[in-house]
Amino acid sequence: MSYVVNDPAAFADESTLGFIAANKALVRRVTGGVARRSATPDGQVAIVVGGGSGHYPAFAGLVGAGLAHAAALGNVFASPSSQQVYSVAKSVATKAGVLLSYGNYAGDALNFDLAQRRLIAEGIACRTVRVTDDIFSASVDEREKRRGIAGDLAIFRAAAWAAEQGFDLDAVATIASRANERTRSIGVAFSGCTLPGAVEPLFSVPAGQMAVGMGIHGEPGIEMRPLPTARELAVFLVESLLSEIPDGVSVNGAKAGIILNGLGAVKSEELFVIYGTVAAELEAAGVTVIDPEVGELVTSFEMAGVSLTAFWLDDELEAAWTSPAYAPAYRKGVVARGDEADVADEAMDEVFAVVGESSDASVASGPRVAAVIEAIRVVIDREADELGRLDAIAGDGDHGIGMKRGSLAAAAAAAEAVKRGAGAGSVLTIAGDEWADKAGGTSGALWGAGLRAVGETVGDQDAPDARSIAAGIEAARAAIQDFGKAIVGDKTLVDALVPFVETLAARVADGAGLAAAWTDAASVASIAADATAELLPRMGRARPHMQKSLGTPDPGAISLALAMTAASAVLNSSAQNSADTEENS
């Protein structure tokens, strides 16, 4: 557990500020993360990495010469928002373009891809290489679905070396992709980890057992095995990696960079005990180990566990792996200081969206929209711990805290927008943008996209009515499914959203008022959300643990149903007040 905490919701931000204060000569603060203190040399591709907090040294500690130019930093175990990734990339981009690289998790993929679209739309060349090194998280035939764990380091090193050589963006992406194709990892855990402020771990491992194939976000292991000796564990890890050799690699005579990574609570002396056998087993197999790394490179708070990575080298990748690097948490060889100018920290003043022209009728509807978002904030705040518990059963346990941060930011932004005279549509779009930016993760991106879609459909010229709201909710569904790619049956929030949208549209088409139609739709969504307990997840971090989730409803579907039910109370109260006013008139 975390012993040193102020406000758990502010943990990631406070940790980042302290990290920057401790490494001012090497890194600077930028909106959404950290960047090298020195400017990116003209004509050099910028390497931007990132992910959730809670994994130090990844990702902030790997920003520096010979490694990343910048890192986008999300909340605890949650991806950075698309706005964060975009802002961080803009801060270091040159005309040569940007390479984005990160572990392959649903929220990261969604938010980095959205940022890439935006960068390209602005004329900044951008490519992506996702890290997929975890051999236990998907089969060989579905390698694109595998997670990224400690193999991140190998891919980041290869990309950064290629950038330092002056290669163009296509060549940098090609080398990073080849590094990913030649990297394999497997991890085990002896205990779970606990999020800051929480009192229970995200998962537990029975005494005398170890979990095999766990993720780095507190996801439980895919299978349990008896706890071995250190020698037996080393043999198991090596044999697992040697059972899947990349195409074009012959084990006998091969060279490999090896990473034995501690996940937080297994200390260096224990890792050295394991590595002694790892080195002997690899030598016996005919593998020459080049510059092994033994220590904490990608952690998961205080999780007791280890991972072993093999980075199968060719001549070019060996040059990358052994090249100099100087970052706060990773230093190798001697890095010559160039003549790049240092760059000051970015100002962090909050920038509020400009409120455009709105009709009086739309402005008058703004407070009701803000009240709906405030009601959602209240119910999410109340249920955050339970949502986190549901998410921890087969996921990473961050859904509650992510939704809490997102809804809090959205409610504050909506209230401020009302004060500034925003129309109903602007209140929704401003709230959506703040939700996406502050929540991060998959749910943050989807809720942000949904609120923005409703706002853009409703607009600021007319007072929203049942038909325009129904059209806006349909636009939200389309945006969410377009971004997230989920369909009904995948065990996601879509399983509650689609029946909500369909019921709302049907009731409005039959002539029902907004409050009545919404209430019926929320009831249907709640039933659908509960029914996800009988589904197996086909997307996201829960997919590798699908059997564990059977019997438990999807937290995203539950939180959506809770939010829609809370909104219905506001709409019914507003409708009753309107009826009372008309009666009194």
Side-chain angles (χ1 to χ4, degrees):
M1 61 179 291
S2 298
Y3 297 97
V4 182
V5 179
N6 292 315
D7 177 2
F11 181 88
D13 294 336
E14 292 182 346
S15 177
T16 299
L17 291 176
F19 165 77
I20 294 168
N23 295 281
K24 289 190 290 187
L26 296 176
V27 298
R28 59 189 168 97
R29 187 182 183 190
V30 297
T31 302
V34 299
R36 292 186 195 179
R37 172 61 64 185
S38 58
T40 308
D42 288 342
Q44 185 175 108
V45 173
I47 309 302
V48 175
V49 303
S53 299
H55 305 302
Y56 193 84
F59 296 90
L62 303 181
V63 172
L67 263 164
H69 292 81
L73 306 176
N75 299 322
V76 176
F77 289 177
S79 72
S81 69
S82 61
Q83 176 62 38
Q84 286 180 283
V85 178
Y86 165 80
S87 297
V88 169
K90 281 273 286 189
S91 74
V92 294
T94 70
K95 292 181 180 179
V98 175
L99 180 79
L100 305 176
S101 191
Y102 52 90
N104 185 35
Y105 295 87
D108 296 280
L110 176 59
N111 284 294
F112 275 83
D113 282 354
L114 289 172
Q116 176 171 319
R117 290 186 201 176
R118 187 173 174 186
L119 291 166
I120 292 173
E122 294 185 10
I124 298 173
C126 187
R127 296 281 299 277
T128 290
V129 174
R130 298 176 187 169
V131 181
T132 56
D133 59 309
D134 180 10
I135 66 171
F136 223 79
S137 58
S139 67
V140 176
D141 295 335
E142 294 185 308
R143 278 204 63 217
E144 74 284 354
K145 294 182 179 180
R146 288 178 170 176
R147 302 178 295 209
I149 47 178
D152 285 2
L153 177 66
I155 286 74
F156 298 168
R157 291 281 282 135
W161 173 83
E164 296 279 357
Q165 305 313 300
F167 296 161
D168 65 20
L169 181 58
D170 286 341
V172 171
T174 297
I175 291 170
S177 295
R178 190 165 82 248
N180 184 54
E181 289 295 323
R182 296 170 73 99
T183 301
R184 302 286 190 277
S185 298
I186 183 171
V188 300
F190 317 119
S191 72
C193 60
T194 306
L195 294 176
V199 296
E200 297 292 337
L202 293 174
F203 69 93
S204 59
V205 179
Q209 299 283 304
M210 73 174 182
V212 181
M214 81 301 137
I216 59 170
H217 303 90
E219 303 97 329
I222 295 172
E223 69 175 50
M224 292 289 179
R225 296 193 179 192
L227 184 65
T229 65
R231 182 174 292 104
E232 291 168 340
L233 174 59
V235 171
F236 166 70
L237 294 173
V238 171
E239 288 182 346
S240 297
L241 295 184
L242 293 183
S243 70
E244 186 183 314
I245 302 300
D247 292 341
V249 174
S250 176
V251 173
N252 191 8
K255 295 181 180 180
I258 298 296
I259 304 168
L260 181 59
N261 175 61
L263 284 154
V266 178
K267 307 319 294 179
S268 297
E269 287 86 351
E270 296 172 275
L271 293 174
F272 291 140
V273 171
I274 299 170
Y275 186 73
T277 302
V278 167
E281 290 293 308
L282 289 169
E283 182 180 359
V287 178
T288 299
V289 176
I290 305 295
D291 279 7
E293 297 288 348
V294 180
E296 293 183 344
L297 281 307
V298 180
T299 61
S300 186
F301 276 111
E302 87 290 10
M303 183 188 290
V306 302
S307 64
L308 183 67
T309 300
F311 179 26
W312 299 98
L313 304 172
D314 56 25
D315 290 345
E316 198 167 43
L317 295 179
E318 182 179 355
W321 181 243
T322 58
S323 64
Y326 198 89
Y330 186 89
R331 297 173 187 182
K332 177 179 287 188
V334 178
V335 174
R337 170 77 189 215
D339 57 3
E340 304 89 25
D342 285 348
V343 182
D345 288 5
E346 288 186 4
M348 293 291 144
D349 294 333
E350 292 292 330
V351 179
F352 199 85
V354 176
V355 175
E357 292 293 326
S358 304
S359 70
D360 291 343
S362 184
V363 171
S365 299
R368 183 166 67 151
V369 172
V372 167
I373 297 173
E374 171 62 15
I376 293 172
R377 181 202 67 77
V378 170
V379 73
I380 294 300
D381 183 69
R382 187 187 72 213
E383 301 294 333
D385 289 346
E386 175 62 11
L387 293 172
R389 185 193 70 79
L390 292 175
D391 193 33
I393 290 172
D396 56 12
D398 71 339
H399 184 70
I401 193 170
M403 289 289 291
K404 183 175 180 177
R405 284 179 61 113
S407 59
L408 177 63
E416 180 63 22
V418 168
K419 288 182 182 177
R420 296 182 181 225
S426 288
V427 173
L428 285 162
T429 56
I430 290 169
D433 289 347
E434 280 297 292
W435 190 312
D437 190 38
K438 297 302 189 295
T442 305
S443 62
L446 297 181
W447 272 86
L451 287 172
R452 171 165 273 280
V454 178
E456 290 176 343
T457 302
V458 168
D460 290 329
Q461 297 310 306
D462 300 304
D465 57 18
R467 291 188 178 278
S468 65
I469 291 293
I473 297 296
E474 165 57 27
R477 180 210 59 76
I480 287 171
Q481 290 196 271
D482 178 57
F483 287 148
K485 308 303 180 187
I487 60 174
V488 172
D490 282 344
K491 196 165 186 172
T492 70
L493 67 81
V494 167
D495 289 294
L497 175 62
V498 168
F500 176 86
V501 172
E502 291 175 346
T503 303
L504 182 68
R507 293 286 286 117
V508 169
D510 288 342
L514 177 61
W518 192 288
T519 299
D520 289 348
S523 177
V524 170
S526 296
I527 293 170
D530 289 338
T532 61
E534 304 308 313
L535 298 176
L536 292 174
R538 298 192 297 225
M539 298 188 72
R541 292 178 184 171
R543 182 191 56 78
H545 313 279
M546 58 175 60
Q547 292 299 330
K548 287 185 174 70
S549 78
L550 192 62
T552 301
D554 177 68
I558 292 294
S559 60
L560 184 131
L562 288 169
M564 297 305 97
T565 301
S568 71
V570 175
L571 295 175
N572 277 289
S573 175
S574 178
Q576 183 60 51
N577 289 338
S578 296
D580 291 344
T581 300
E582 290 179 8
E583 184 176 326
N584 292 333
S585 298

